[in-house]
Amino acid sequence: QLRLVESGGGLVQPGGSLRLSCAASGGSLDFYAIGWFRQAPGKEREGIACMRDMSTPPHYADSVRGRFTISKDDAKSTVYLQMNGLRSEDTATYYCAADTLSWYSARDYCIKGLFASWGQGTQVTVSF
């Protein structure tokens, strides 16, 4: 299993941007599906962006599509989540996740949370 450590969270005003990073160790991301999830207090965990590989489009939740972008740099073993146009409802703890690439679609990975490795989370607060 990979070890994942998120960073980049913080306080940002509505309309602002943040880029979250997720550093992976213990293996190469080349053969892993990756994802970003979030959980707000009192709410269920939500899969917001998942990627199978570079040859297929990522899946985005409706709540973030068009505003957030998932990417990875295999050479740096790092996964990113670029978040633009942030809203108060984006306030949550954000987690990255990874699992050995299988036949699941990117949507399956997000909807079903099919990941074995999880980070500890980073807090994002959107407020004035």
Side-chain angles (χ1 to χ4, degrees), residues 107-128:
R107 183 179 183 277
D108 282 342
Y109 276 109
C110 259
I111 298 298
K112 300 177 182 179
L114 301 169
F115 294 98
S117 299
W118 293 82
Q120 83 290 348
T122 185
Q123 177 67 35
V124 172
T125 302
V126 184
S127 178
F128 287 107

Side-chain angles (χ1 to χ4, degrees), residues 19-82:
R19 188 177 78 160
L20 304 183
S21 299
C22 173
S25 59
S28 171
L29 286 174
D30 289 16
F31 305 105
Y32 280 79
I34 57 174
W36 284 96
F37 292 74
R38 69 184 181 185
Q39 188 165 21
K43 294 188 177 181
E44 293 188 355
R45 185 184 68 191
E46 177 186 19
I48 56 173
C50 294
M51 174 188 289
R52 272 184 47 84
D53 49 49
M54 300 301 288
S55 64
T56 56
H59 169 80
Y60 294 97
D62 290 344
S63 56
V64 307
R65 187 175 294 114
R67 300 186 298 125
F68 291 10
T69 303
I70 185 173
S71 63
K72 67 172 181 172
D73 185 330
D74 289 334
K76 295 182 179 180
S77 294
T78 302
V79 181
Y80 302 100
L81 184 69
Q82 178 66 44

